[in-house]
Amino acid sequence: MTIAAVLIDHRHGAVTRPALEALTLARSLGTPVAVWLGEAPSADAAAQLGEYGATEVRVVDAADARVASRAAAAVGAASGDADVVVMISTFVTKEIATRLALATGAGVVVDAAGAELVDGKVETFQTVFAATWDVRTRINADKAIVGVRPNTTHATPADSPAAATVVVVDAELPEARERIVSVEPVEQGDSVPLAEAPVVVSGGRGTSGDYSLVSDFAELLGGAVGASRDATDEGWISHEHMVGQTGTTVTPALYVACGISGAVHHRGGMQASGTIVCINMDPEAPIFEISDFGVVGNLFDVIPQAIERIKEHRGA
Amino acid sequence: MRILVTVKHTPDLQSQRSFTDGRVTRTAEDGTMNELDENAVEAALQLVEAAGEGEVYALTVGGPDAVAAVRKALQLGVHHALHVSDEAIAGSDVFGTAKVIAAAVRKVHDEAPLDLVVTGMAALDGLTSMLPTALAAELDWSQLTLASALSVDGGEVTIERHLPDSHETVSAPLPAVVSVTDEANKPRFPNFKLIMAARKAPVTVWTLSDLALDPAQVGAGAARTTVIDASPRPPRADRIKVTDTGDAGTQLANFLIEKGLA
Ligand SMILES: Cc1cc2nc3c(=O)[nH]c(=O)nc-3n(C[C@H](O)[C@H](O)[C@H](O)COP(=O)(O)OP(=O)(O)OC[C@H]3O[C@@H](n4cnc5c(N)ncnc54)[C@H](O)[C@@H]3O)c2cc1C
Ligand SMILES: Nc1ncnc2c1ncn2[C@@H]1O[C@H](COP(=O)(O)O)[C@@H](O)[C@H]1O
């Protein structure tokens, strides 16, 4: 029997949608067990993990799991019997995956768009080079660690819910050299984090710093607001909104680029999105090459009209 | 202050990037120093300049063409260039590469202690951002990643780190491996004098035997992952491009409605 451990991403005690996506994927790789770092989950959270197939919820209440070596040891303690460990791919989990792999001899693929078992080995799919190539990778090692991108698996409950028995795991964590001096939370408001949003509406230099239309459009479509590097460098919007190879990589069902030229650095972080739409005054802008629907026009004219039409449609 | 910077030879972002036999195609023509490693070089040079003394080493691991990466670092002003090149290294995964880099770092460190290894936040070919962690673990040094600012004081290095949900300040004792983001600084441009000097500057070349590494530990044979298929994605089909003559907003909305996206 293959055991697939899933590192559960949770915020304020609630299971995130990407965590359910990871559980859904894990069900196709083996028997899922959930690994939960932090204070034990509520009964509701545990039940939800069960609905998505988790037979157990292994809780490691580790202090200072912000340090990669400690987090990796905590995950390792809870996933010793697992053949596959699945986690949502972020800058933080990539470090956990790396440390865990060094401790266990596992092979790692991060930023995967999916995975399957072929002849007993895990194979993953990824898009690379700003989503211009598809790559399939085989994990040769006996143990596999897969980091998956949000929005690449459709989260669906298991046909029959599992027990999701909560088990507390005692973990011996290494002394860390690193000391967290301070942590300042970033205000998220009610909006979905960029990486998880099903829709992203981004504004670039073409907004001239006015994000009101971009925000309105994002809200109407139930999405998050993104930005190009030029916009965050100008200080028009905070760094957390930056989409691109050095910002957040997004793969929403819909990506709307407003006043963004589509530089390769930007494309690297959004080109794998489902449907891409752009509004740009310059017909030669590279963003048109990757847009399913492109408007050559002024975003200050086009967005209000689009908003009006959608509202009218919904009202009808 | 003695600092070693790791620099990778990667295909230029603007070039037609591709795969050959499951490996990133690397050629002398369109290869360059990974753009994000310019921030690592800059961070190291600034620390040494601020300390008023010290030396910066640039190190690359890769085939013969990879020497271009350390030449670029020399143009920016690093003092020494190291190139680890051995056929047995080809096809290494991140863990193999980290072993090789760690062995080279130890060799330099044994001659005279290093304070820091500075890396880029990601290599723009694979974008995995795993090497800095693997290297810190191999060396058993402090690990401080994704620094958007860093300072060294009293045997400690302190960084600022911007994560999507929080901003952290983290400190650790030296020696440390620090990866820096492109927010950390604005890389300098090489000046004419340095470009000329870089052409003639010596590059130390090491093989696996210089590093006392067993070839069986690295390379394709030891890799825990293998790319088994790589194919270019077809361009998006049925692209629509309209020029606004007064109703493009409505057309855009209709497109989203038809697709069930609005
Ligand atoms: C190492 C490195 C890393 C980088 N990483 C990233 C990254 O992660 N993410 C990222 O985004 N960038 C990144 N960049 C920067 C990137 O190269 C581009 O400079 C940046 O993406 C350009 O932003 P932009 O499209 O907003 O601006 P521009 O390129 O200036 O484009 C603005 C566009 O808006 C259009 N426009 C202007 N006014 C209007 C209007 N009223 N209506 C409609 N259209 C209008 C213009 O025609 C133009 O095409 C990086 C650069 C480097 C060197
Ligand atoms: N072959 C290599 N030679 C030298 N440095 C490397 C090599 N591979 C990765 N690095 C360093 O590690 C950083 C992160 O790379 P990666 O983890 O591959 O995304 C890069 O910015 C480089 O500083």
Side-chain angles (χ1 to χ4, degrees):
Chain A
M1 189 180 68
T2 303
I3 295 187
V6 181
L7 176 58
I8 300 297
D9 185 44
H10 54 89
R11 237 185 335 265
H12 311 303
V15 178
T16 65
R17 191 174 41 83
L20 300 178
E21 294 169 2
L23 262 177
T24 305
L25 176 68
R27 288 207 307 269
S28 69
L29 301 173
T31 306
V33 297
V35 174
W36 181 287
L37 300 191
E39 263 174 56
S42 66
D44 283 354
Q48 192 183 19
L49 296 172
E51 248 176 74
Y52 282 79
T55 53
E56 279 181 27
V57 184
R58 299 177 180 170
V59 180
V60 191
D61 194 355
D64 230 352
R66 281 190 164 262
V67 174
S69 56
R70 292 175 63 87
V75 176
S79 63
D81 58 349
D83 309 279
V84 188
V85 181
V86 181
M87 46 186 94
I88 288 295
S89 206
T90 64
F91 281 121
V92 169
T93 64
K94 283 175 176 185
E95 297 183 5
I96 297 175
T98 306
R99 290 262 172 185
L100 184 60
L102 280 167
T104 60
V108 186
V109 173
V110 295
D111 289 332
E116 61 187 15
L117 271 183
V118 178
D119 299 333
K121 293 282 176 203
V122 174
E123 294 186 5
T124 62
F125 340 110
Q126 294 141 271
T127 61
V128 300
F129 296 159
T132 57
W133 281 70
D134 283 322
V135 168
R136 179 181 271 264
T137 306
R138 184 176 50 229
I139 299 181
N140 308 317
D142 290 337
K143 193 169 178 126
I145 302 176
V146 182
V148 284
R149 281 198 176 149
N151 287 319
T152 52
T153 300
H154 187 65
T156 49
D159 291 337
S160 44
T165 317
V166 175
V167 184
V168 175
V169 177
D170 278 324
E172 191 70 44
L173 302 191
E175 282 291 334
R177 287 192 178 74
E178 302 80 10
R179 188 166 47 86
I180 311 277
V181 180
S182 69
V183 181
E184 209 184 295
V186 169
E187 276 309 321
Q188 291 272 0
D190 300 333
S191 57
V192 201
L194 196 53
E196 298 169 26
V199 174
V200 174
V201 182
S202 289
R205 186 166 286 288
T207 62
S208 307
D210 179 356
Y211 274 80
S212 51
L213 283 174
V214 169
S215 307
D216 289 351
F217 204 18
E219 198 182 310
L220 182 73
L221 297 171
V225 173
S228 70
R229 166 86 180 273
D230 281 29
T232 56
D233 279 357
E234 289 285 352
W236 293 342
I237 185 163
S238 63
H239 180 77
E240 292 79 50
H241 293 273
M242 185 174 94
V243 172
Q245 61 187 17
T246 54
T248 302
T249 295
V250 298
T251 33
L254 172 65
Y255 189 83
V256 185
C258 310
I260 289 180
S261 60
V264 63
H265 304 100
H266 187 81
R267 294 206 304 266
M270 49 63 74
Q271 196 159 343
S273 303
T275 298
I276 299 176
V277 166
C278 75
I279 306 166
N280 194 306
M281 293 205 298
D282 173 10
E284 304 298 326
I287 191 78
F288 285 106
E289 290 162 27
I290 56 159
S291 294
D292 299 289
F293 193 97
V295 175
V296 182
N298 189 327
L299 69 95
F300 292 97
D301 298 331
V302 177
I303 299 180
Q305 200 179 63
I307 290 179
E308 199 187 329
R309 169 73 189 111
I310 291 168
K311 282 189 175 157
E312 176 196 289
H313 165 77
R314 288 188 186 166
Chain B
M1 178 95 57
R2 283 166 49 83
I3 305 179
L4 184 145
V5 184
T6 56
V7 296
K8 189 175 187 186
H9 187 239
T10 56
D12 192 320
L13 280 183
Q14 313 291 347
S15 69
Q16 282 293 339
R17 295 180 288 171
S18 63
F19 280 84
T20 311
D21 298 333
R23 292 184 197 160
V24 176
T25 314
R26 293 172 211 281
T27 62
E29 297 78 55
D30 56 14
T32 176
M33 179 171 102
N34 173 36
E35 207 174 15
L36 291 169
D37 295 343
E38 290 179 26
N39 297 97
V41 171
E42 182 64 37
L45 291 173
Q46 284 185 12
L47 283 172
V48 164
E49 285 160 6
E53 53 82 31
E55 287 175 305
V56 179
Y57 291 77
L59 166 76
T60 193
V61 174
D65 293 339
V67 71
V70 285
R71 288 252 178 249
K72 175 76 198 263
L74 286 166
Q75 292 181 0
L76 294 170
V78 306
H79 309 94
H80 308 283
L82 309 168
H83 179 192
V84 183
S85 190
D86 196 310
E87 274 174 24
I89 296 172
S92 293
D93 63 5
V94 56
F95 305 108
T97 306
K99 269 206 176 74
V100 176
I101 296 181
V105 168
R106 268 189 225 107
K107 193 170 161 84
V108 177
H109 189 63
D110 287 347
E111 282 162 20
L114 287 163
D115 299 291
L116 286 177
V117 169
V118 184
T119 78
M121 70 179 284
L124 291 174
D125 48 0
L127 275 174
T128 70
S129 297
M130 288 168 62
L131 185 107
T133 302
L135 180 60
E138 277 290 338
L139 288 169
D140 199 14
W141 288 11
S142 306
Q143 170 189 334
L144 295 168
T145 47
L146 302 174
S148 54
L150 76 161
S151 58
V152 175
D153 189 28
E156 282 224 329
V157 50
T158 300
I159 68 154
E160 313 239 326
R161 193 173 195 243
H162 292 173
L163 297 172
D165 62 350
S166 58
H167 292 180
E168 292 177 346
T169 306
V170 193
S171 289
L174 302 176
V177 175
V178 179
S179 78
V180 297
T181 74
D182 54 347
E183 279 187 289
N185 51 47
K186 277 231 171 303
R188 64 194 65 187
F189 292 104
N191 65 38
F192 183 71
K193 217 176 101 204
L194 283 171
I195 293 175
M196 294 312 286
R199 270 194 208 152
K200 282 184 250 130
V203 174
T204 305
V205 181
W206 286 333
T207 60
L208 287 183
S209 66
D210 293 316
L211 300 177
L213 276 178
D214 175 2
Q217 288 186 301
V218 300
R224 303 175 188 182
T225 51
T226 309
V227 172
I228 52 174
D229 190 41
S231 46
R233 295 183 110 194
R236 284 170 188 260
D238 306 322
R239 279 180 289 133
I240 304 167
K241 186 171 174 184
V242 300
T243 301
D244 189 21
T245 53
D247 68 344
T250 305
Q251 290 189 50
L252 188 154
N254 288 339
F255 173 81
L256 296 179
I257 292 164
E258 258 165 51
K259 285 226 149 199
L261 293 166

